[in-house]
Amino acid sequence: MEKIRLQKYIAMCGVCSRRDAEELIKQGRVYVNGKKVEEMGLKITCEDKVEIDGREINPEKKKYYIMMNKPTGVLSSVSDDRGRKCVVDLIKGVDARLFPVGRLDYDTQGLILITNDGAFMQKLTHPSHEVWKTYEALVKGVPDKDDIKQFEQGLMLEDGMTLPCVLEVIGYEGKNAVVEVMIREGRNRQVRRMLEKINHPVIRLKRTKIASLELGDLKPGQWRFLTGEDFKALDMTDMEQA
Ligand code: URA
């Protein structure tokens, strides 16, 4: 029988990404056949009983891949201890443990992917894959050529230098500019912090694209399953569809 690494198995069960599974193992929360796992490289078969925080986990057979236009005022998480609405609460009629792929701030609108497939999430969020994300922002004032150059070269933020990225002015609202920003990292509040750094703070922020997958005409709060074309746009034709 084929043996697989424990963290891969946990991701296949839709609990979280492989990286997060390693954290769970380090924290001593994972048990195999009743014994706490102490080593990182452990391999198991599907005959083994795996428990996390005392609950048995099993591979989810059917995989779901969803895109949503996240409204502002909704958290991109699975649950919230303060009772705020989460993106998965907006999805009715899908019987699976869904989780969002990456994060959008509470006050950011736009394209977010939701799945129960840990491998899918890992492919899109692992920093080594450098998936481009596109945002449209209304900012205070109008960025100039120097600002655009700073984005092209990468900006120094408090958590280090960003990778080179793209800033383009695409419109105006009174004295303010509408800009398009493209980044290929996923640091916390990165777009807001970068625009703040060049003295053009964000007034409104929306994610419009992940790789070549566009938000399209989904209204805030609306969602749909990904199609074959969408997987192509994400460069992920090897993934199974719902
Ligand atoms: N960058 C931000 O500042 N906020 C988001 O929600 C996403 C990217």
Side-chain angles (χ1 to χ4, degrees):
M1 187 168 296
E2 197 204 351
K3 284 193 156 197
I4 59 166
R5 277 185 191 276
L6 180 56
Q7 52 268 51
K8 183 172 179 187
Y9 181 83
I10 295 172
M12 274 168 53
C13 292
V15 176
C16 57
S17 70
R18 281 189 216 185
R19 251 188 323 156
D20 289 344
E22 282 172 12
E23 268 312 301
L24 292 176
I25 296 168
K26 277 189 206 145
Q27 289 165 9
R29 292 163 63 185
V30 183
Y31 284 67
V32 173
N33 303 325
K35 265 187 69 187
K36 191 201 278 189
V37 179
E38 312 273 7
E39 48 164 322
M40 195 49 73
L42 182 68
K43 286 189 168 181
I44 60 158
T45 71
C46 54
E47 304 270 273
D48 291 307
K49 179 177 168 190
V50 179
E51 289 165 295
I52 297 177
D53 296 335
R55 277 183 52 199
E56 187 171 352
I57 59 166
N58 287 294
E60 291 193 271
K61 289 185 188 70
K62 189 164 169 118
K63 302 272 195 278
Y64 294 95
Y65 306 97
I66 289 168
M67 61 185 279
M68 177 189 281
N69 184 349
K70 181 186 104 55
T72 54
V74 174
L75 283 173
S76 56
S77 15
V78 173
S79 62
D80 179 46
D81 48 15
R82 287 161 55 193
R84 288 170 298 177
K85 214 174 233 285
C86 301
V87 281
V88 296
D89 299 333
L90 303 180
I91 297 174
K92 307 283 180 224
V94 178
D95 183 21
R97 271 178 306 180
L98 298 171
F99 47 85
V101 176
R103 284 178 183 276
L104 280 183
D105 300 332
Y106 189 66
D107 41 359
T108 301
Q109 195 205 308
L111 178 57
I112 191 156
L113 297 170
I114 297 161
T115 186
N116 61 342
D117 182 352
F120 177 75
M121 155 141 146
Q122 179 80 0
K123 269 199 170 180
L124 283 165
T125 55
H126 197 278
S128 66
H129 296 132
E130 294 188 6
V131 177
W132 284 98
K133 273 93 53 186
T134 307
Y135 298 83
E136 193 182 293
L138 175 65
V139 297
K140 201 140 186 262
V142 179
D144 62 16
K145 278 194 186 130
D146 264 3
D147 297 321
I148 291 170
K149 201 158 177 201
Q150 284 199 63
F151 269 58
E152 272 169 20
Q153 291 169 344
L155 269 180
M156 182 54 87
L157 299 177
E158 62 270 31
D159 51 356
M161 197 73 180
T162 71
L163 289 174
C165 43
V166 181
L167 170 64
E168 192 187 341
V169 176
I170 57 169
Y172 301 91
E173 283 189 23
K175 289 183 181 155
N176 299 322
V178 179
V179 299
E180 187 167 88
V181 176
M182 287 176 69
I183 59 170
R184 53 194 148 123
E185 296 168 279
R187 298 193 209 174
N188 191 29
R189 297 181 80 82
Q190 182 170 343
V191 174
R192 290 174 196 274
R193 288 190 292 136
M194 291 180 79
L195 289 163
E196 179 88 46
K197 182 78 194 259
I198 58 162
N199 298 315
H200 294 288
V202 165
I203 299 167
R204 191 176 70 217
L205 184 62
K206 177 176 171 182
R207 181 155 68 193
T208 54
K209 219 162 143 185
I210 299 173
S212 301
L213 177 65
E214 298 192 39
L215 180 59
D217 52 14
L218 282 181
K219 303 273 174 297
Q222 284 185 338
W223 60 272
R224 66 170 176 79
F225 292 112
L226 296 189
T227 64
E229 285 305 307
D230 298 330
F231 280 91
K232 273 190 213 150
L234 289 170
D235 201 13
M236 286 204 174
T237 40
D238 51 331
M239 290 277 160
E240 190 188 326
Q241 290 166 56

